[in-house]
Amino acid sequence: NDSSTSLIMIFGATGDLAKRKLYPSLYHLYKKGKLADHFAVIGTARRPWSHEEFRENIKDSIHSFVGADEQIDDFSSHFYYQPHDVTDSDSYIQLKTLAEELDTKYSLQGNRIFYLAMAPEFFGTIADHLKADGLTDTTGFKRLVIEKPFGHDLESAEQLNAQIRQSFPEEEIYRIDHYLGKAMVQNIEVIRFANAFFEPLWNNRYISNIQITSSEKLGVEERARYYETSGALRDMVQNHMLQMLALLAMEPPIRLTTDEIRSEKVKVFRALRPIEGNEVNEYFVRGQYGPGTIDKNEVVGYRDEMNVDPDSQTETFVAGKLMIDNFRWAGVPFYIRTGKRMTTKSTKIVIQFKDIPMNLYNNNEQLQPNLLVIHIQPDEGITLHLNAKKSGQNMQTNPVKLNFSNEGSNGINTPEAYEKLLYDCLHGDATNFTHWDEVALSWKFVDKISEVWEQTNSEIPKYASGTMGPEEAEKLIENDGFFWWNLN
Ligand code: BG6
């Protein structure tokens, strides 16, 4: 496909993200014939590697993370390396020369993707140089792909955005939220808008509450330097959790175009009830993992992790209740929950329907509410929880499940989120990237919460590693007469 013709310039080419996600994804696209022959990659970073050394590293990454090597020489021959100092114009001028050579060699039609897969403090500087040193003077398309975090709060995000916008207009900016590349996150829209039986019920008359849980077993790993300044609220809620919420809550767009979908998502963010001051503790709960057991192994608490302040108040867990004040959702709580060192690695959405008006089967204790469960990961699929007749003489009910599994094999056959996002970017489809308005509104919401937490003197609540978070998170939802569904 000709439209994927492009030069892809990766800043941070020796980093973890590039190795684990970008090269394997590019390889998958290549193997599927979706990169055609008209592509070249320039990797840049500080290390003084040669093209050959870089290619060896690409091969290693494919071996380790894909476990295949078909056409690997062909594939890696498209990769070039340029040692780079992000603050030095000479570096960019050399890059430009190499870019022009490759443009001719591979007939790339002047198309360029600049992928910033590195420390966020350099995003602005790089964008400045790309323009000032002429890398964006090209006849083809140019696109800037930016990894998270996009700022630390609204103010810093605004500054970063203003700086980037000097060199790239909004339509050329692709802000990554890798959750938007996940197959089942993309499926939320299809489940809602391609089925007759959900949409009529998708409102406050029939839905009692919605729960979004994204739990991890991993701890902070080697990322404490970043994580200590972030915490779960900035790391997961501002982006991934709020994005999933927007897709669940948005109105049907009039058309499935980037602009229409984004504009519906923005409306959800605008309808989010701001939580501030004293209300924060009523609506949001934070927690930090202590020592505990994960898969039968003892693990240390957060404060004993490498590079973590022994008195750290950083939250590794957040639970919250969000209200969307519009006609559709008035009165329906959206509960979110995310954290590290929890019981399982799993992302799920549970839509709990309201109880039916009365229970005719009163020989039974209580009817189970109907649930629609969207399994995002590791399993991909949907489950409907219904009540049916128990076999036997009596009219007793029995909860049953209707299950659809997207592929049944733990995501092995579904393309990685990054593969989809790279493909979209190559084709100029920004739907599954976040628009600035979404970023700004979600920071605005989240900032009010972090402000209060930062001013609190009380100790952060703790939870044992391997559990589903602190007791406070249970109380948060129990106060409303609900409980968290911890479903398989
Ligand atoms: C990232 C966060 O954005 O998402 C990480 O920075 C987190 O802290 C990760 O571990 C979770 O992603 P996934 O795809 O494994 O659910």
Side-chain angles (χ1 to χ4, degrees):
N1 187 337
D2 236 11
S3 60
S4 68
T5 296
S6 183
L7 173 68
I8 305 170
M9 222 179 254
I10 299 178
F11 294 81
T14 57
D16 216 44
L17 178 82
K19 252 189 296 197
R20 284 172 181 275
K21 305 285 185 190
L22 303 185
Y23 305 142
S25 297
L26 286 169
Y27 179 69
H28 282 135
L29 290 174
Y30 182 74
K31 288 270 304 285
K32 292 177 185 165
K34 296 194 167 155
L35 278 183
D37 286 328
H38 298 298
F39 85 99
V41 177
I42 303 181
T44 82
R46 271 175 307 198
R47 287 175 215 185
W49 281 354
S50 64
H51 298 320
E52 267 322 306
E53 278 172 284
F54 185 44
R55 286 172 197 156
E56 287 310 310
N57 271 275
I58 301 293
K59 290 181 196 172
D60 280 353
S61 130
I62 307 303
H63 280 300
S64 326
F65 299 107
V66 184
D69 55 10
E70 249 173 86
Q71 297 172 278
I72 188 87
D73 289 319
D74 265 359
F75 172 71
S76 56
S77 72
H78 289 259
F79 285 71
Y80 297 79
Y81 186 81
Q82 179 79 53
H84 186 73
D85 171 353
V86 291
T87 58
D88 174 23
S89 281
D90 288 344
S91 270
Y92 292 88
I93 291 161
Q94 285 165 17
L95 261 185
K96 185 173 185 239
T97 312
L98 178 58
E100 281 160 5
E101 271 170 45
L102 297 180
D103 202 295
T104 312
K105 179 163 176 189
Y106 291 93
S107 314
L108 300 176
Q109 302 165 18
N111 292 336
R112 288 184 189 168
I113 291 175
F114 306 99
Y115 197 121
L116 312 191
M118 56 181 316
E121 59 263 39
F122 299 117
F123 291 167
T125 314
I126 297 173
D128 285 351
H129 276 284
L130 289 175
K131 183 171 184 195
D133 298 322
L135 278 127
T136 55
D137 286 340
T138 160
T139 48
F141 65 67
K142 46 191 191 311
R143 295 174 190 145
L144 182 73
V145 184
I146 309 191
E147 277 295 332
K148 59 169 285 218
F150 199 90
H152 174 77
D153 51 19
L154 179 59
E155 197 188 334
S156 55
E158 272 170 345
Q159 277 167 12
L160 173 60
N161 199 50
Q163 190 174 8
I164 290 171
R165 290 288 298 274
Q166 305 275 321
S167 310
F168 294 88
E170 178 67 29
E171 314 80 76
E172 291 179 352
I173 304 175
Y174 289 68
R175 298 179 193 80
I176 296 250
D177 183 314
H178 78 284
Y179 268 58
L180 296 181
K182 294 187 191 279
M184 287 308 293
V185 172
Q186 297 188 351
N187 223 327
I188 294 173
E189 174 200 297
V190 184
I191 293 166
R192 288 190 55 196
F193 304 137
N195 291 298
F197 40 67
F198 296 127
E199 201 49 29
L201 306 183
W202 211 261
N203 56 53
N204 54 9
R205 266 168 293 158
Y206 300 100
I207 290 181
S208 101
N209 73 91
I210 293 184
Q211 304 180 10
I212 311 173
T213 300
S214 190
S215 59
E216 294 186 79
K217 282 202 272 194
L218 288 180
V220 68
E221 309 294 292
E222 280 100 53
R223 297 166 72 223
R225 269 185 230 284
Y226 151 72
Y227 201 80
E228 276 281 271
T229 65
S230 152
L233 185 70
R234 294 187 171 95
D235 189 48
M236 293 290 293
V237 176
Q238 181 269 333
N239 38 50
H240 313 319
M241 303 302 282
L242 289 180
Q243 284 292 325
M244 286 190 282
L245 176 132
L247 292 169
L248 287 164
M250 71 181 183
E251 292 302 312
I254 55 170
R255 234 171 266 113
L256 292 178
T257 58
T258 306
D259 287 350
E260 295 300 344
I261 293 176
R262 283 171 156 184
S263 118
E264 294 306 337
K265 285 165 72 189
V266 166
K267 280 190 220 157
V268 174
F269 293 125
R270 286 170 52 196
L272 260 188
R273 182 182 303 172
I275 310 292
E276 39 198 312
N278 295 336
E279 289 161 350
V280 167
N281 294 324
E282 232 172 276
Y283 284 81
F284 272 81
V285 163
R286 57 189 181 141
Q288 187 186 69
Y289 65 82
T293 315
I294 300 271
D295 295 335
K296 302 197 180 117
N297 297 317
E298 301 282 309
V299 296
V300 300
Y302 180 68
R303 288 178 180 179
D304 291 319
E305 299 273 21
M306 194 180 29
N307 296 324
V308 171
D309 175 353
D311 299 317
S312 174
Q313 294 290 326
T314 303
E315 80 283 358
T316 61
F317 173 96
V318 174
K321 164 174 156 180
L322 295 91
M323 302 301 292
I324 298 168
D325 292 326
N326 64 15
F327 253 60
R328 186 188 284 267
W329 295 117
V332 181
F334 284 70
Y335 299 103
I336 58 167
R337 184 171 55 149
T338 182
K340 295 200 182 283
R341 286 283 191 235
M342 292 171 68
T343 320
T344 52
K345 168 75 183 169
S346 153
T347 303
K348 272 190 195 24
I349 295 164
V350 179
I351 292 116
Q352 178 175 344
F353 290 87
K354 287 192 170 163
D355 291 340
I356 49 171
M358 66 177 280
N359 181 1
L360 292 170
Y361 304 92
N362 50 10
N363 51 355
N364 206 348
E365 291 148 26
Q366 218 190 345
L367 279 178
Q368 290 294 313
N370 289 141
L371 305 177
L372 166 65
V373 185
I374 304 177
H375 306 262
I376 310 280
Q377 63 185 21
D379 314 322
E380 297 183 354
I382 55 179
T383 309
L384 260 180
H385 292 232
L386 311 170
N387 294 302
K389 182 183 170 304
K390 213 179 226 174
S391 57
Q393 302 307 319
N394 295 335
M395 269 318 225
Q396 284 191 348
T397 66
N398 195 26
V400 296
K401 287 192 238 173
L402 288 182
N403 227 337
F404 159 71
S405 171
N406 212 14
E407 30 67 275
S409 57
N410 285 2
I412 285 159
N413 296 323
T414 44
E416 271 253 29
Y418 273 93
E419 182 183 331
K420 288 185 193 240
L421 296 176
L422 276 166
Y423 180 86
D424 286 355
C425 177
L426 280 160
H427 291 263
D429 182 353
T431 313
N432 292 313
F433 295 81
T434 43
H435 187 276
W436 164 247
D437 294 346
E438 299 168 55
V439 176
L441 287 164
S442 48
W443 275 126
K444 197 170 154 198
F445 178 79
V446 153
D447 279 356
K448 298 267 189 255
I449 297 160
S450 43
E451 265 164 38
V452 171
W453 284 348
E454 271 152 31
Q455 285 159 17
T456 320
N457 298 322
S458 56
E459 265 297 300
I460 182 163
K462 304 292 186 308
Y463 58 100
S465 285
T467 67
M468 287 308 276
E471 246 170 69
E472 285 81 351
E474 307 297 326
K475 284 192 211 121
L476 172 83
I477 186 164
E478 282 167 17
N479 288 342
D480 295 340
F482 303 123
F483 55 85
W484 295 106
W485 293 97
N486 295 319
L487 304 164
N488 291 325

